[in-house]
Amino acid sequence: MIKSPRGTRDLLPPDTALWNFVEATVRDVFRAYNFHEIRTPIFESTELFARGVGEETDIVSKEMFTWSDGERFNEKRIIDEWLRANQSDDPHQVQAGRVNVQGNPSFLAKLKELGVQLQVWRGIQVQPSLLTGRVEFVAFGPRVSSDAIIGLRKARDIAKGEYSHEFGTHTILPRLVVPDEAAKTSPWVATGDVEIEGFAGNYFSSSESLTLRPENTAGIVRAYIQHDLGKRGLNKFFSIGPMFRRERPQKGRYRQFYQIDAEVIGPTSSGSERPIRDAEVLEMLDTMLRRLGISDFTLKINSVGDAQDRAVYNDALRKALDPVVGRMCSDCQRRAVTNPLRVFDCKVPEDQPIIETLPLIRDYLGPASQEHFENVQALLKKAGVTFELSPKLVRGLDYYTRTAFEFTHGALGAQNAILGGGRYDGLAELLGSPQPAPGIGFAIGEDRLVMALQERMPEATVHVDAYIAPVGEGMNREGLRLAKDLRRKGLVIELGDRSFRLKKMFETATKIGARYILIVGENEVKADAFALKHMASGEQVTVPRAELAKRIAGAEKGS
Ligand code: AMP
């Protein structure tokens, strides 16, 4: 059995109803806060994440799904090397087993159109003007494909037809040369009388490194720069979609997971840098979670300072780490040199007591960062948003500046961070924006949000208004027609099959929770009135076709 890859999962009904509920609710909230949807590709160039998220982060250093793309088959190289290996040493003298390149220009042009690159002789010279042996039409391809086979056969047909005077009675052998590793034949390609030759060597070259997005802020900022969205002033974006990280899978942690992202970004003149934006985003999150029915969450905030503060803090961290880092894990030893802030991402239990003693960023904030952070806190208090200060919160991504935050939820166990985010002034410039574009954003882990809701919500119930049971010859047609009419009137209808016994259809109607079963038999069709049975009460009435929709819909409110 082929299973879904490790760390991925299928979301199935009825659970998907909960996902849809979450997405519909957050869309509603986003609308009220004037956020608009942006959809960026799920893969981007690797460099975007390396630069944006940071080389030293766990995400970039360990967790990305990266591949090289733009793989091109280097046809010229394989032809050159194949000829070098096969060509006759003496261009005037054909030798057994070796080839001489032949062909008149008009015929060669025809071959080229068919995707056949060479016409060669393989044989021996009997007299100066007489060759014996065979002609080969050679195509070079990245793999065995039906296109190549068809092209070679057509070339042979043309040679035997239009050009028979040139080829006489010589045998013509079509040959397809593919790189060794690609020599495998697809079971769907009939190779017939075409000889397949695997010619060892790697004739592919790749041009670009791509990565499945592990997060979406970098992609959105990339789009902001690419489309010069700064000219619109302040942009408020949201997006919902899958992210990919090669993490060790466990409950609440997947390799494909979903995030609900929002980003507020614009030129400095749009006010994108102001504390009111931080407060608005945090207040929106508080509202959003409550609207979803989640209230037992904790908002933790910290300031990770701006670029200048960080430089000073990094120095202090390096100094503090210097005498102790030798006792820490190898990751921390590296981080201490390259990016000391990342030491706080360490999960090794033995390192934690050392991390406890390190200086805190809050003691290294410059006056501007300090003021910003105080402003954000004052605004949150005014807006009635409860929060905790969390001085060690640094978040696992390098781009954060100033405000960083996380919402945790008690019911989620070890993976209790339901969302995280922060400000990222400077990221746009790092990614090549000619103008500064401060911003702030967050990513909600939708999988975890749904998990938190599942704790409290009963299984989503599926609602079916009526099950149509066609009984007897020709009744499927009638049932289908009736189903179409009722569905067009907005009812949810399931349709049976006349080959089922009526008992089975009753059982199915019960199982799917249909409110009614509607019998479509010959007598009903003749009378244009149908037996409609209310499943819960067992009450059965005959209802004229024209009144069916009203009857089913009307009773729905009552039941
Ligand atoms: P981050 O992008 O790392 O700041 O993560 C933001 C949120 O996404 C986290 O708080 C989690 O709720 C969620 N998240 C991150 N990684 C995963 C994962 N591997 N599986 C499920 N949810 C995740």
Side-chain angles (χ1 to χ4, degrees), residues 302-305 313 359-366 370 373 389-392:
N302 190 23
S303 174
V304 293
Y313 179 56
L360 294 171
I361 177 84
R362 78 170 164 212
D363 300 320
Y364 294 83
L365 296 182
Q370 190 68 47
F373 195 38
L389 294 180
S390 182
K392 278 205 226 38

Side-chain angles (χ1 to χ4, degrees), residues 59 214-215 245 247 252-255 257-259 395 397 400 406 417-421 443-445 447-448:
I59 295 179
E215 61 93 56
R245 295 181 193 172
E247 294 192 87
R253 195 199 277 165
Y254 309 98
R255 291 183 165 188
F257 59 100
Y258 294 81
Q259 283 188 339
R395 315 271 307 117
L397 301 91
Y400 287 117
E406 231 165 56
I418 206 161
L419 71 94
I444 304 177
D447 304 71
R448 295 187 194 172

Side-chain angles (χ1 to χ4, degrees), residues 108-169:
L108 288 182
K110 280 218 160 92
L111 287 186
K112 204 162 170 228
E113 262 171 46
L114 295 167
V116 178
Q117 289 93 336
L118 294 180
Q119 178 202 325
V120 299
W121 281 93
R122 203 187 283 258
I124 49 167
Q125 194 107 24
V126 184
Q127 290 164 20
S129 60
L130 186 62
L131 288 166
T132 80
R134 59 172 200 252
V135 185
E136 287 179 5
F137 293 154
V138 194
F140 296 82
R143 78 192 88 82
V144 180
S145 69
S146 28
D147 276 358
I149 305 286
I150 291 165
L152 279 160
R153 294 229 180 94
K154 276 197 187 141
R156 188 183 49 192
D157 291 347
I158 295 172
K160 284 187 173 162
E162 290 172 49
Y163 289 84
S164 53
H165 55 281
E166 271 189 31
F167 294 96
T169 57

Side-chain angles (χ1 to χ4, degrees), residues 45-92:
S45 81
T46 304
E47 190 194 353
L48 175 69
F49 304 114
R51 268 210 265 169
V53 178
E55 300 268 11
E56 200 51 65
T57 58
D58 281 352
I59 295 179
V60 173
S61 66
K62 304 178 187 158
E63 298 168 359
M64 297 206 301
F65 289 96
T66 295
W67 71 98
S68 54
D69 195 64
E71 203 168 58
R72 267 190 286 276
F73 177 59
N74 193 335
E75 186 183 288
K76 189 175 174 312
R77 220 174 79 206
I78 193 173
I79 296 176
D80 288 350
E81 285 187 23
W82 187 83
L83 278 175
R84 209 172 303 133
N86 287 280
Q87 206 163 10
S88 167
D89 307 333
D90 178 355
H92 305 293

